[in-house]
Amino acid sequence: MINKVVAKIVGSHNDRLIKKLSKAAEDINALEPELQALSDEALSTKTQELKQKFENKVTLDALLPEAFAVIREVSVRILGLRHHDVQMIGGMVLHDGNIAEMGTGEGKTLVATLPAYLNALTGKGVHIVTVNDYLAARDAQWMNKIFDFLDLSVGVITSDMLPENKKVAYECDIVYATNNELGFDYLRDNMAFTTEQKVQRELNFAIIDEVDSILIDEARTPLIISGAADDYSEIYQAINHMIPNFTKQTESGEGKEVVVEEAGDYTVDEKHQQVFLTDDGHTKAENLLIEAGVLPEGVSLYDASNILLMQHINSALRAHVLFHKDDNYIVDGDEVVIVDEFTGRTMPGRRWSEGLHQAIEAKEGVSIKNENQTLASITFQNYFRLYNKLSGMTGTADTEAVEFQAIYNLETAVIPPNRPSTRNDMSDKIYLTLDEKLEAIAQDVEGCQKTGQPVLVGTSSIENSEAISALLTQKKVKHEVLNAKQHEREAQIIANAGAIGAVTIATNMAGRGTDIVLGGKLAEDATDAQQQDWQKHHDEVIKVGGLHIVGTERNESRRVDNQLRGRSGRQGDVGSTRFYLSLKDNLMRIFASEKMAVMMQRLGMEKGEAIEHKMVNRAIENAQKKVEEMNYTARKNLLEYDDVSNDQRKIIYKLRDELMDANDVQDRFIAIRQGVVSELFADYISPAQAEEDWDVEGLYNALKADYAADFPLQEWLKEGVDVDELESRISQGLGQICDYKEEIVGSEQMRGFEKAVMLQTLDHFWKEHLAAMDYLRQSVNLRGYAQKNPTQEYKRESFAMFEALLNTINVEIVKALSSVTINENTSANDVEQQNNDDILATHSNPLGENTQHEEAVVMKNTPNNSQTYQRSGEKIGRNDPCPCGSGKKYKQCHGKS
């Protein structure tokens, strides 16, 4: 209450920020006459002048007014577009490393040029991040005219580019790219064998378009580089045939008040998108698996060896019960293609994880692709936090301002529109049944078309859009459908959605990257006559009320509803919006209180009658808040776990970079070898133990088996050497083995070979560690039943696992370099090539809620796969001393193998 009173007196924090930045915009405006007087040639030299000032220690903040004024003047001359003051304010918010909320049609693409130009003056590069390849290429081509005039280079990164072309693009001053490609390139760079193979440079400054879509909606979706795992297609098919035998258990009530009305084999938790087997379901599952020959008779489904079977059953149940064709995915030929729940776009190549995608492939009868094993992984949350400075822009960020601040330390500023909105957001209409709602929607659309008012009908799924399309077709209402199945016609449909009498049915409108212009889109090369004709149509649409938005149901997120609303009333245009709901809608059914249904029935509502009331709207908003809070908790929980992996990832990647940057890793290898020998020696022989307790034979066998070193330990002890001397001789002996190999191939080849083995060993065991961390994460929540904090348990165990990983890597490096047989033809490329076959990059969610994007490396050979080569050079006699320095004859030492 006190805060509200204070805000009314002195203004909110956002009001004060906008007022402060408005004064700065006036300073920029004051420079406009001076720049207008410059010739094109003089204006184009401003970049070099500003760069020189920056090199002379003038800060970017001090350069901001002049830099922004330069960009505006160039935009006017090149594109005919002048940045409004509110766009200048948006640019300042982005430069400060915050989020600018700007409505649809406010020109966010043009706004991004302001901070991009200013920060590009440092020479460290700027990344402008978009949600798809089309927008990245379009924006780069459009804005390049401005940057090219100012002598700045612009690059664009798309998924189909070759690495060498990507490297050139990343070297540009300003780079347009998708969030997926940036993340994948980061992971690929950290699997490279040489610095030259890396494509990215320092992650300096990122401006994220549709920041809420990328940092909120996609936050739980890890980017994964993976390799092929085992083939379980036969098991998926067998279990798929069993699922129709399972029946759903009918329950009423919530929490402890749940009452079983009809017993069944599984229960469904729609709030959390999970399916659980009942006791009867477990018994039935075991019997069916035994009949199918998948589970041996007398063996429990809960045996440790059958964990994967349980996962397959759960995935198959979720595939049949929770994931629906033409809603969550479509079938395109022999492929199951995911549909993005936020944008309605198809996402070719992406795959659900934990066997869910394979289960859906079995359900739909298409070929089942193999599962994958993680080689490298990062979430968008942790990737974008790697940037020195981060900012973003969107039309809908304020509802998630708390999360942006808590996780990314980004403040959200709501930028006022250039022209005040005149859109009329009408109250929701709520009906008892789905059929009543659809009929009301059809009547609304039909009425608008008769008056010539264009209508955009927003749906949440392909299935719903086709149901409404069928109803409108029945009523002879001409319309267009925009969903994943009409992807290629998207630009044409959007271009005409604002025309007189146009009716467009579309799945979620986020990330479309195109504004709906009243009167239809005017071609860039339009003649005067065409412009006059367009103006006439534009005025007619405004006269009948502008674009009318019809929402067919409330989304789980208020942001998605606001994105749909934002398509109407751009740049101060007139417009109207209304949402139609029924008690059978998912949001109402799962989250809204049952009291609402009872209340509506008590009111004696007749068929076709709707209710409009503020209390009902509040109930809906509260239901949306519940979902948003639940999703925020899930994202926050994921981040707590991923932060542990992220700390470890940074250490491993730093170690890789050090290895790649080093020309000579011999000193590092010698230090590693000495440490390994000391630990190995301590395992078998300790000065603290009596000599008769030493396990000399065990040490001898370990050296011989793992390090190909046959040292006469017993003879050395008989000579009276002490413990320190014995350890020193072993260390020197292993060193002489490597020195001998170096004499064969030469120092340069040996250094390259050492580096390659160290990198491959690091990658191989990091991959194994990631798999172990995944298993730990999946199982650690069960410790909550033992009154232990799962997060703390995960942190404690993962730390111990990481320590063991670093030790294992050192041991395996020494084993590999000591035991491998090489000749003068051996090169680092022989080892490196093992890493470059069939890489698979995936974009996947550990909860099975999002996706995997397939690209290309399976490590076919591990560091333990020793390579055998033919010897060259002078032959060593069987009775000659072994060159390794052991003091034994060659036939009794390395000549044995």
Side-chain angles (χ1 to χ4, degrees):
M1 184 67 184
I2 295 174
N3 289 338
K4 289 182 180 179
V5 173
V6 172
K8 283 185 178 180
I9 298 171
V10 300
S12 66
H13 173 70
N14 191 78
D15 293 336
R16 296 194 298 274
L17 175 64
I18 299 301
K19 187 175 180 181
K20 174 186 171 185
L21 296 179
S22 296
K23 291 180 180 178
E26 291 174 6
D27 295 337
I28 299 169
N29 293 339
L31 296 172
E32 193 167 17
E34 177 187 336
L35 294 173
Q36 287 174 337
L38 295 177
S39 65
D40 285 357
E41 186 179 353
L43 185 60
S44 65
T45 62
K46 278 291 181 180
T47 300
Q48 292 306 317
E49 290 180 23
L50 292 169
K51 281 185 175 181
Q52 190 60 51
K53 289 181 181 179
F54 178 75
E55 290 173 7
N56 292 335
K57 309 300 182 186
V58 179
T59 64
L60 290 181
D61 290 346
L63 294 175
L64 185 148
E66 186 176 4
F68 278 28
V70 167
I71 278 287
R72 175 155 68 183
E73 181 58 29
V74 173
S75 177
V76 170
R77 296 189 190 188
I78 302 298
L79 301 178
L81 299 172
R82 181 183 180 277
H83 295 75
H84 302 299
D85 285 1
V86 290
Q87 289 175 307
M88 291 292 181
I89 292 171
M92 285 183 265
V93 169
L94 295 177
H95 168 67
D96 288 338
N98 291 311
I99 292 172
E101 177 177 298
M102 303 180 72
T104 301
E106 293 296 319
K108 291 187 285 291
T109 304
L110 196 61
V111 169
T113 60
L114 299 164
Y117 175 67
L118 177 61
N119 286 269
L121 298 174
T122 64
K124 294 181 179 179
V126 175
H127 292 170
I128 299 179
V129 188
T130 65
V131 292
N132 58 56
D133 286 345
Y134 162 72
L135 291 178
R138 185 204 70 176
D139 292 354
Q141 184 180 9
W142 188 17
M143 295 299 113
N144 182 47
K145 298 171 185 176
I146 295 176
F147 296 124
D148 185 56
F149 181 93
L150 290 165
D151 200 27
L152 288 180
S153 56
V154 174
V156 60
I157 304 293
T158 56
S159 56
D160 56 354
M161 289 176 69
L162 295 172
E164 53 266 31
N165 295 334
K166 280 187 175 181
K167 185 160 185 149
V168 173
Y170 275 117
E171 289 298 322
C172 292
D173 297 304
I174 295 163
V175 180
Y176 286 83
T178 65
N179 49 314
N180 285 348
E181 279 310 298
L182 288 169
F184 281 135
D185 285 341
Y186 171 76
L187 292 176
R188 292 188 197 101
D189 279 358
N190 285 287
M191 295 180 71
F193 255 69
T194 64
T195 305
E196 291 71 27
Q197 291 175 349
K198 299 179 79 170
V199 296
Q200 286 187 344
R201 54 176 173 156
E202 180 186 8
L203 301 178
N204 178 46
F205 177 41
I207 302 168
I208 305 176
D209 192 10
E210 303 294 348
V211 66
D212 53 334
S213 175
I214 292 172
L215 296 188
I216 301 292
D217 299 337
E218 299 250 30
R220 285 185 290 173
T221 310
L223 293 165
I224 298 173
I225 300 283
S226 65
D230 296 331
D231 181 6
Y232 296 109
S233 55
E234 291 183 4
I235 294 178
Y236 281 115
Q237 288 171 342
I239 292 177
N240 181 65
H241 294 312
M242 300 176 191
I243 299 303
N245 295 302
F246 291 89
T247 57
K248 181 181 176 181
Q249 181 163 293
T250 307
E251 298 176 339
S252 60
E254 292 185 3
K256 295 179 180 178
E257 299 177 2
V258 169
V259 176
V260 177
E261 295 180 350
E262 185 177 343
D265 301 314
Y266 64 88
T267 59
V268 181
D269 181 354
E270 291 186 279
K271 287 186 180 181
H272 298 92
Q273 289 285 286
Q274 294 294 338
V275 180
F276 303 99
L277 285 174
T278 62
D279 290 342
D280 290 343
H282 284 294
T283 303
K284 180 178 284 188
E286 285 187 351
N287 292 335
L288 290 172
L289 287 168
I290 291 169
E291 287 176 18
V294 178
L295 185 71
E297 197 162 349
V299 176
S300 171
L301 193 54
Y302 284 100
D303 284 357
S305 58
N306 295 323
I307 289 176
L308 279 177
L309 279 179
M310 275 299 301
Q311 181 180 312
H312 291 323
I313 291 171
N314 286 331
S315 295
L317 277 170
R318 292 181 69 203
H320 280 261
V321 177
L322 296 173
F323 289 79
H324 308 291
K325 184 179 176 182
D326 289 343
D327 187 353
N328 306 100
Y329 63 90
I330 64 172
V331 176
D332 184 8
D334 196 39
E335 298 278 342
V336 169
V337 183
I338 296 171
V339 175
D340 191 321
E341 63 175 307
F342 299 104
T343 67
R345 293 178 180 274
T346 55
M347 299 186 287
R350 289 195 177 191
R351 298 177 66 78
W352 282 294
S353 62
E354 292 189 347
L356 177 60
H357 208 99
Q358 285 79 5
I360 293 174
E361 287 170 335
K363 167 189 165 185
E364 296 296 340
V366 301
S367 59
I368 301 172
K369 282 69 175 179
N370 285 356
E371 294 181 53
N372 303 307
Q373 180 181 5
T374 301
L375 305 183
S377 169
I378 193 169
T379 60
F380 284 127
Q381 288 172 320
N382 274 320
Y383 172 71
F384 282 108
R385 293 197 300 177
L386 293 171
Y387 280 84
N388 298 330
K389 185 163 73 173
L390 183 64
S391 65
M393 51 189 182
T394 181
T396 47
D398 200 37
T399 56
E400 311 293 345
V402 173
E403 183 169 351
F404 281 126
Q405 184 71 56
I407 293 179
Y408 304 100
N409 197 28
L410 294 172
E411 185 180 336
T412 301
V414 180
I415 313 299
N418 184 47
R419 296 175 185 168
S421 174
T422 56
R423 188 182 68 223
N424 178 20
D425 294 328
M426 295 179 276
S427 295
D428 298 354
K429 282 193 171 184
I430 305 170
Y431 295 84
L432 284 171
T433 67
L434 182 63
D435 288 341
E436 291 173 50
K437 180 185 78 169
L438 292 177
E439 182 60 33
I441 291 170
Q443 289 177 7
D444 190 0
V445 172
E446 195 175 14
C448 288
Q449 193 175 55
K450 286 178 181 177
T451 64
Q453 185 177 15
V455 183
L456 174 66
V457 182
T459 67
S460 59
S461 69
I462 298 171
E463 185 181 24
N464 289 347
S465 68
E466 292 182 342
I468 292 170
S469 175
L471 187 58
L472 292 180
T473 301
Q474 186 181 333
K475 291 181 176 290
K476 295 183 171 54
V477 175
K478 186 180 178 182
H479 62 279
E480 290 279 6
V481 179
L482 173 60
N483 60 33
K485 292 184 177 180
Q486 283 80 34
H487 210 50
E488 62 280 357
R489 296 184 59 234
E490 176 176 321
Q492 180 189 347
I493 294 172
I494 286 288
N496 297 315
I500 285 281
V503 176
T504 308
I505 303 171
T507 49
N508 295 333
M509 291 296 295
R512 295 289 178 187
T514 308
D515 292 336
I516 297 175
V517 181
L518 300 187
K521 189 175 182 181
L522 180 65
E524 289 184 14
D525 55 351
T527 63
D528 290 342
Q530 288 173 326
Q531 288 182 357
Q532 290 175 3
D533 193 43
W534 173 85
Q535 188 63 50
K536 180 183 175 183
H537 291 309
H538 178 74
D539 294 341
E540 286 180 24
V541 172
I542 289 177
K543 190 176 179 180
V544 295
L547 180 66
H548 180 54
I549 301 290
V550 173
T552 58
E553 64 180 281
R554 285 284 192 169
N555 198 279
E556 290 183 353
S557 169
R558 287 172 292 168
R559 284 184 301 105
V560 179
D561 290 342
N562 292 338
Q563 285 162 358
L564 177 61
R565 274 202 171 109
R567 294 292 158 179
S568 177
R570 66 182 289 279
Q571 284 289 323
D573 286 341
V574 294
S576 56
T577 67
R578 188 189 292 279
F579 280 83
Y580 290 83
L581 292 80
S582 82
L583 293 183
K584 300 299 180 183
D585 292 347
N586 287 338
L587 181 73
M588 303 289 288
R589 183 170 50 82
I590 301 171
F591 294 99
S593 172
E594 292 180 7
K595 294 178 182 177
M596 189 180 295
V598 175
M599 179 191 71
M600 292 178 72
Q601 289 167 349
R602 283 179 179 173
L603 288 173
M605 290 178 60
E606 296 180 4
K607 184 176 180 181
E609 197 173 6
I611 184 172
E612 291 183 64
H613 199 281
K614 288 182 179 179
M615 184 186 74
V616 177
N617 289 344
R618 280 199 301 270
I620 295 165
E621 190 171 336
N622 288 335
Q624 289 177 308
K625 285 180 179 178
K626 282 182 188 177
V627 186
E628 288 168 1
E629 288 168 6
M630 187 175 72
N631 289 336
Y632 173 42
T633 301
R635 289 189 292 267
K636 192 175 178 182
N637 186 49
L638 174 68
L639 186 63
E640 284 186 25
Y641 285 103
D642 195 57
D643 276 344
V644 177
S645 301
N646 195 48
D647 292 339
Q648 297 177 3
R649 185 187 302 115
K650 287 178 180 177
I651 293 171
I652 293 294
Y653 287 175
K654 183 182 178 184
L655 183 55
R656 287 191 97 263
D657 287 341
E658 289 173 358
L659 287 173
M660 283 194 297
D661 293 339
N663 293 323
D664 187 342
V665 295
Q666 185 179 30
D667 291 342
R668 181 189 289 269
F669 172 61
I670 290 172
I672 290 172
R673 186 174 64 213
Q674 289 174 342
V676 169
V677 169
S678 294
E679 289 192 16
L680 179 68
F681 194 80
D683 288 341
Y684 295 95
I685 297 176
S686 171
Q689 293 178 320
E691 189 170 337
E692 56 268 23
D693 293 330
W694 291 353
D695 187 3
V696 179
E697 186 177 352
L699 177 59
Y700 172 80
N701 292 333
L703 287 167
K704 186 175 180 180
D706 295 334
Y707 302 90
D710 192 354
F711 298 144
L713 301 184
Q714 294 288 3
E715 294 178 18
W716 288 347
L717 287 171
K718 288 176 183 177
E719 293 174 9
V721 300
D722 59 19
V723 173
D724 292 338
E725 174 64 19
L726 185 61
E727 182 181 334
S728 177
R729 286 194 181 187
I730 293 172
S731 185
Q732 288 174 9
L734 289 176
Q736 287 169 347
I737 292 173
C738 293
D739 291 343
Y740 170 67
K741 293 172 182 176
E742 185 173 335
E743 289 176 11
I744 296 172
V745 299
S747 297
E748 186 177 346
Q749 287 283 71
M750 191 64 184
R751 296 294 83 78
F753 190 67
E754 288 169 347
K755 184 174 177 178
V757 167
M758 291 172 82
L759 280 169
Q760 193 188 36
T761 305
L762 183 70
D763 289 343
H764 172 70
F765 286 99
W766 173 242
K767 174 191 73 173
E768 297 297 324
H769 177 73
L770 288 175
M773 292 279 281
D774 283 343
Y775 290 132
L776 175 62
R777 184 186 294 191
Q778 290 168 18
S779 63
V780 76
N781 284 326
L782 296 174
R783 301 189 190 186
Y785 293 111
Q787 305 302 310
K788 292 181 179 180
N789 185 323
T791 308
Q792 293 303 319
E793 288 291 296
Y794 180 78
K795 289 178 179 178
R796 182 179 60 79
E797 287 212 19
S798 62
F799 178 74
M801 289 165 62
F802 189 65
E803 282 192 320
L805 166 71
L806 296 178
N807 183 61
T808 300
I809 289 171
N810 288 342
V811 170
E812 294 299 328
I813 285 172
V814 178
K815 282 183 181 180
L817 286 169
S818 298
S819 59
V820 71
T821 305
I822 62 176
N823 71 6
E824 60 188 7
N825 296 319
T826 306
S827 71
N829 291 333
D830 295 321
V831 178
E832 179 184 338
Q833 186 59 41
Q834 296 175 12
N835 263 18
N836 294 332
D837 302 327
D838 308 324
I839 286 188
L840 192 66
T842 65
H843 189 171
S844 170
N845 190 299
L847 304 176
E849 294 176 359
N850 279 305
T851 52
Q852 292 186 347
H853 170 63
E854 296 187 4
E855 283 218 69
V857 169
V858 178
M859 296 178 100
K860 294 188 175 177
N861 298 308
T862 71
N864 293 328
N865 297 138
S866 59
Q867 307 291 315
T868 304
Y869 304 92
Q870 294 298 316
R871 246 185 88 16
S872 65
E874 185 179 349
K875 180 173 178 169
I876 303 168
R878 285 172 47 76
N879 292 310
D880 292 341
C882 186
C884 74
S886 65
K888 302 179 73 171
K889 291 182 179 180
Y890 182 71
K891 67 181 180 182
Q892 294 173 332
C893 191
H894 283 79
K896 279 186 177 181
S897 57

